[in-house]
Every structure is written in structure tokens, then in C-alpha cells.
Amino acid sequence: MTFRAIIIATLALASASFATAETRRDGQGAAPPPVISQTIAARRGEKITVPLGIHGTRGELLEFLIRTPPGHGRLSPVKSLTMNSAAVIYTPAARATATEDRFAYAVRGSQGVSAPGVIVLRFAEPITAAPRLRAPNEIEFAPVFPGERSTAEMELANEGGGMLEGEVAAPEPWSIEGLKFFRLAAGQRTAIKLVFTPAQPGVRNGEAVITGTQRKVIPLRATAEERLAASPALLKLVARPGSQTRSGTVNIANHSEEDATVAVEAGARLLTDRIVKVPAHGTAALPIFADAADVAAFDEVVKLSSREWQSVVRVHSVAVGGILQFTGNEVAIAGSATDANASASAILENSGGEALTVRLDVVKPFEVEDRVVTVPARGRVEISVFVRDAAAGTFRSTMKAIGEGGSAAVSVVAEISEARAQRTPAPPVRAPEEKIPASETLENSGENDAPLISPNAREVPNALGKFARATGTDSARIEWPMSLGPLENARAEERVLSLLPNDELQIAWTPIAAATITPGADRATAELRGLKPGTLYAVRIVSGKDADSSVLFTTEFRTSPKKPLYSGSLSTPLLVLALCVLLFAIWRSRRAPVDRKK
């Protein structure tokens, strides 16, 4: 408040008092009406509506006049409210710091202008609410592929008073697009744009930090999906029951909008495709097969790649279980009642990838040296079968090899003769063009103790059974249950033996050209034609393609020999010839005299 304003207000009050005293002294009411002076409290910086009025009332419209303007603000034009009242709006000056302000006013009526009245405005500091930040509790971004962007907005608001200021920061792979700073008055709001740009697939968690007037940490969560995904991470190759083919499947899922081409690189002991097509938002199955020649357990990897995507699937192939079989359908023993060591050998083979320990069961009079034997993986053992304390006669039994991993059986036949009748059987008569099989040559030779068949021979039948139902001189029919396996690309193969330079007997399998395989509801039939008479055949039925074939079973049979024109004894035709000569001689002797008479 200035010194000048104080003097003016004092003179106005004195004039008003003097005029009132004069009026009262004269006893007349012709003086102008006195105005109302007052003190008004106000908040700093706010506009104030100030009422103007007089003491009492007058029956005329009074005009209110501003005599002295305020020193720290401005007044609006006076607005009449009634005949004897009015109002004016006080607007404080910007950034005013004064504790009070005042102005003087008067009224004009028919009696003249009144003495001025003073309005005092006293300012108090405004009561302001503290700023209050409102922000999300967490922000989750939409999934994207590596190298792409996913955005989200963080909305901030000042729900309190005053001014809210701050800055937003986010770690990699998040970033802020646009302004990082904000300034919010009471009731204002803004949005901060966050961007998630992953370089690698996976789930990421982070924090956006707000600093400034108020501090807050907002959790961030985002996912980077692979365009392609392979499962499982570890593939186990196993064989189905009754099959040696170990296989498994890798599933490749495509999450993108485009078809994908995946290149496949597999280990040396695995068989699979080299290229896989995966449709958009689809899945492709990649079959993996273990090499049938490698029956042991092994570990390999399959590498998958497509543009920027790469994946490695670990593969574990379990060992092929033991598969037992006896070579041949029968073990024949010949001897005499006085021979205590009449014996023959049975060969027990294991074509699987695990060694098997089996128990041998056979009934008397047959015996074996060891009741328990172990057959190595992809190997064989020779079992000596004896006939002990047997009288003369024919004996038949079945020797069984039983173990946890498999079993096999073979017929055992013994022909025991009387001691006086014991003779060495003559060797079979062979046709001139027939060659002695290499197997017989090796069996009759005592100079070579090496195994007849190499342990590395690739002969892997799944089951040994007597499936030959009918045989002729040049044909055979084989029947087996359909439960042994599917007949896709089925074929019949004949076992062919050949002697290697190291005197080992090599096994090979060749397809039988004249073979017809017909599947049925419960059983399947194979008709074989073009066979040699009187020949022992080992035939197996194979199903599947070359890379994924499996042996259903192996069976042995012998074709019927050709019947000779005459099968009797040689003495009979000689006797008949001699009889014919005798009859001819008698006939000649009786006829000769008759001819002489003539």
C-alpha cells in the first residue's frame, strides 16, 4: 500500500464524517448516501468479485464510481446489480507478491457524489494439492519375431495439484520413441511410446523407470517368437514291436505368414529327407530313421536351417534288442546204443544289437553241455546236443532257448541204432552237375575252426517260423499272420551263400522274381514258383522301401525231389532179363525140330 493511497483514504473518511456531522447539525437529509467500506480476504493469484453498496437505501438509481484504482491489479468496469448496489471484478497482476491491495469508490445520486469508501483486499497463499502420478502397473507387448517391432503406450496423468515433472527410461531391447520428458499440471495427461525390438527369441522382462517429482518402476514383459520351432529337443529313436526299424519324428511349426523351406543335415548313422516344406501357420513332420546296419545304441544330431533360423535336435537311438533264432529247423543226431557221445551242433544266432543270456531247456535223452549261454550282439554260439543212455530207436524233442530279451526253439531228432547194426551211412548220390555246398565242405573239414558265417554278415530276420504250408518240386506256398507287419512294397528274398577268400561263409539275400504276395483279412500268402527240385531254401519276407525296409520273418523249407523213372533195386530188372532169355531159349528149342522135318 503506497503512502499516497493512505492520505487519500484518510481525507475521504474525514470528508465523509464532516458531511455527516453537517447534515445532522442542519437536520436535513439532502447529502449523498455514504458507501460501504470493507476488508475482503482473497487467495493470491485468484480473481475476486467485489460487491459495492451504500448504507441504507435510496429511491433512485445510483451510479458507482471508482475513485482510486488498486495498486497491484486491475478492475473491470462497474456492473450495476440493483438500484443501490453494484459489483466489480478484481484481477491481480501476474506474479504479484504484495500481501494486500485496495481501491476507493463513491456513488453519485441526485444529491451529488458521496464521500469515497475503501475496499481492502488481503491476500493469502493458495492451498495447493500435491502432484499425484497415475501410471500403469505393468505393460505387456504383443509377441513379435526377432528383428520386428512391438509398441505400447504408457499413459501418465497428474491426478493431484501443482506441477508434475519427470523423465522415462527403459533398458534394451526396449526404447522410447519421441519425448522422454513430461510436465503435467493438475488434471493433465500424456502418453509415452515404448518400442520392443528383440534380436533373439525368448521371453524378456524389464523395467521402465519414471524419475522426477515422483518416482515409479513399471514392469515390462515381452515375447519374441521364433518364425520356426522344432520339437522335441531330444528325439528318441525306437523300434515298433516286431520290427528292427528304429524311427522317430521331428515336428517343425511355422508361426509366420509365409511358407518356409527348411534344409536338413543329419548325422552319418541317420536317414531322413534333405528338404522340408512347412506351410504358413502350419506344421510339417520330419521322419528320422536309424541305420539298420548299426544295431547298437548311438547319439547323433539333426541340424535344421531356414534363412536366419537355425536349430539343432539331439537324437538318441536305442540299441536294437536281441533277436534269437536257430539256424535250420532241425538238429539231427545219429548214433548207436553203445555210443555215449552221439551228438550234433545247433547254431543259435542273435541278429539284434544287445547280447542275450538264455537258458536252454531240452528233455532226456537229449542233453547240452551248458544250460546257460550268452549270445553276443550280432553274433552266434554253437551248442552241442548229446544223446545219453538211450536205447535204439527214434527220439524227438524241442530245444528252447529262453531269455529276457527273446526266445527261439528248434526240433531235435535222434536216430539210435543197435550196436551190431551200426553202419556208416553212404554219402548221398549227387548229379554230375550238382556242386557240393560250401557249408558241407566246411562242416566235414576238421582243419578250420573259424565260424562258418562271419559275425558281420548282414542277416537280420525278425522272426523264425514254420510258415511253409505246401511245397512241390518247383513251387512253394508260405502263409503267415497279418499281425507280423504291414505289406507295403512286400517282397520275398532267397538266402544265397558264398565263400569269401578268408574261408568265411557270406550271407546275401536276393529277390525271388516269380513270387506273388497276396494279403488277406487275417493271413497273407506268398506263392513261389521256378524253384529247384530237392533244394533247401531259406526265404524271408521283407516289407517297405530299401531305406526303411523291415524283415517280417524268415522260414526254411525243402522242395520235393524229382521222381526217377525207376526207383527199385537193380537186381529186379536183371532177374526179369534172365527170365526172358530163358523163355526165349525154351521156345527156340521146341521149334527147332519142326523146322528140320520141313
Side-chain angles (χ1 to χ4, degrees):
M1 183 174 181
T2 63
F3 183 74
R4 181 182 176 184
I6 296 175
I7 295 175
I8 294 174
T10 304
L11 294 175
L13 290 174
S15 300
S17 301
F18 179 77
T20 302
E22 289 294 329
T23 301
R24 289 178 181 174
R25 188 167 46 247
D26 295 341
Q28 300 177 358
V35 297
I36 300 174
S37 298
Q38 57 181 329
T39 300
I40 300 175
R43 292 184 179 179
R44 185 182 307 280
E46 293 184 353
K47 292 183 179 182
I48 306 168
T49 299
V50 181
L52 305 178
I54 62 172
H55 293 280
T57 58
R58 293 294 175 94
E60 60 177 331
L61 181 62
L62 300 177
E63 179 184 4
F64 289 84
L65 307 173
I66 301 299
R67 291 299 192 187
T68 304
H72 304 287
R74 65 179 185 276
L75 299 175
S76 66
V78 178
K79 181 179 180 181
S80 295
L81 300 178
T82 63
M83 293 181 63
N84 301 143
S85 65
V88 67
I89 297 175
Y90 173 83
T91 302
R95 299 181 182 178
T97 59
T99 57
E100 67 177 25
D101 199 357
R102 61 180 59 206
F103 64 90
Y105 75 99
V107 296
R108 177 186 294 160
S110 56
Q111 289 82 18
V113 178
S114 69
V118 178
I119 300 296
V120 178
L121 302 174
R122 292 182 178 174
F123 304 118
E125 293 296 333
I127 300 174
T128 305
R132 185 160 61 90
L133 174 65
R134 180 175 63 81
N137 292 328
E138 64 177 1
I139 299 177
E140 185 164 355
F141 292 76
V144 293
F145 300 127
E148 295 185 351
R149 289 163 41 101
S150 179
T151 62
E153 288 190 348
M154 177 195 300
E155 186 177 78
L156 306 177
N158 182 4
E159 295 185 340
M163 189 63 63
L164 181 65
E165 297 178 337
E167 179 183 0
V168 180
E172 291 288 343
W174 286 274
S175 62
I176 297 176
E177 188 175 273
L179 296 177
K180 303 179 181 180
F181 302 93
F182 62 90
R183 179 182 173 85
L184 303 175
Q188 290 184 337
R189 63 186 61 206
T190 188
I192 305 295
K193 188 175 183 180
L194 299 176
V195 181
F196 174 65
T197 310
Q200 300 293 333
V203 178
R204 300 297 298 269
N205 294 284
E207 293 179 340
V209 180
I210 301 175
T211 58
T213 306
Q214 293 184 4
R215 188 180 188 278
K216 186 170 183 178
V217 176
I218 301 175
L220 305 178
R221 180 180 176 84
T223 303
E225 295 181 344
E226 291 186 344
R227 295 179 182 272
L228 299 171
S231 62
L234 174 61
L235 178 64
K236 190 174 183 180
L237 302 184
V238 296
R240 297 187 301 272
S243 173
Q244 285 184 267
T245 303
R246 294 160 294 169
S247 62
T249 302
V250 175
N251 295 315
I252 306 175
N254 183 1
H255 302 295
S256 67
E257 302 287 342
E258 301 177 354
D259 295 346
T261 300
V262 179
V264 183
E265 181 181 351
R269 291 177 286 185
L270 299 177
L271 303 175
T272 186
D273 297 330
R274 297 302 179 186
I275 297 293
V276 180
K277 301 286 187 180
V278 188
H281 295 291
T283 302
L286 175 64
I288 308 292
F289 299 92
D291 188 356
D294 194 347
V295 296
F298 62 85
D299 293 293
E300 282 284 2
V301 295
V302 174
K303 298 179 180 179
L304 308 174
S305 60
S306 176
R307 293 190 296 181
E308 75 281 355
W309 177 78
Q310 292 182 345
S311 181
V312 175
V313 177
R314 294 183 294 118
V315 179
H316 174 71
S317 179
V318 301
V320 177
I323 300 177
L324 295 178
Q325 69 172 20
F326 284 98
T327 58
N329 293 333
E330 186 177 84
V331 177
I333 303 175
S336 66
T338 59
D339 186 4
N341 294 316
S343 65
S345 295
I347 304 299
L348 180 60
E349 295 181 335
N350 178 11
S351 57
E354 294 181 347
L356 285 181
T357 300
V358 298
R359 185 185 72 255
L360 299 175
D361 290 338
V362 66
V363 298
K364 291 184 177 298
F366 300 100
E367 294 182 4
V368 292
E369 287 184 337
D370 298 318
R371 284 286 181 176
V372 177
V373 296
T374 299
V375 190
R378 301 287 289 176
R380 55 172 51 196
V381 294
E382 184 176 352
I383 302 170
S384 297
V385 184
F386 297 89
V387 177
R388 300 281 172 83
D389 302 328
T394 301
F395 302 91
R396 294 183 178 274
S397 181
T398 299
M399 182 172 63
K400 297 180 180 180
I402 303 173
E404 293 185 358
S407 62
V410 65
S411 297
V412 184
V413 179
E415 294 285 347
I416 305 300
S417 62
E418 297 290 345
R420 55 185 173 81
Q422 180 178 359
R423 294 189 304 169
T424 303
V429 179
R430 303 181 184 272
E433 69 278 6
E434 184 178 1
K435 297 181 180 180
I436 298 177
S439 60
E440 294 186 13
T441 303
L442 293 178
E443 288 177 359
N444 297 330
S445 175
E447 299 178 358
N448 188 359
D449 295 332
L452 298 181
I453 300 178
S454 169
N456 297 324
R458 294 188 60 177
E459 180 187 12
V460 191
N462 279 359
L464 182 62
K466 296 181 180 179
F467 299 110
R469 298 304 182 197
T471 58
T473 58
D474 60 351
S475 64
R477 185 176 77 251
I478 302 174
E479 296 181 359
W480 67 93
M482 291 292 293
S483 60
L484 290 183
L487 295 180
E488 182 181 0
N489 297 321
R491 58 194 179 276
E493 295 181 349
E494 172 190 1
R495 183 173 65 184
V496 178
L497 304 179
S498 59
L499 191 63
L500 298 178
N502 59 358
D503 292 336
E504 289 184 350
L505 196 61
Q506 176 68 36
I507 295 178
W509 295 89
T510 60
I512 300 176
T516 303
I517 299 177
T518 305
D522 298 325
R523 304 184 65 81
T525 304
E527 298 286 346
L528 310 181
R529 295 174 298 278
L531 306 179
K532 295 180 181 180
T535 304
L536 178 64
Y537 281 90
V539 176
R540 69 181 187 182
I541 302 299
V542 183
S543 176
K545 298 181 180 179
D546 293 339
D548 186 22
S549 61
S550 60
V551 180
L552 300 185
F553 65 89
T554 301
T555 185
E556 292 182 351
F557 61 87
R558 184 183 295 275
T559 55
S560 302
K562 288 185 178 180
K563 294 183 179 180
L565 296 177
Y566 178 78
S567 60
S569 174
L570 184 60
S571 61
T572 301
L574 292 178
L575 181 61
V576 173
L577 180 61
L579 181 60
C580 291
V581 172
L582 178 61
L583 292 175
F584 179 75
I586 294 173
W587 177 76
R588 289 278 301 186
S589 64
R590 290 182 178 182
R591 188 175 179 183
V594 177
D595 293 339
R596 283 195 299 268
K597 291 179 180 180
K598 290 181 179 181

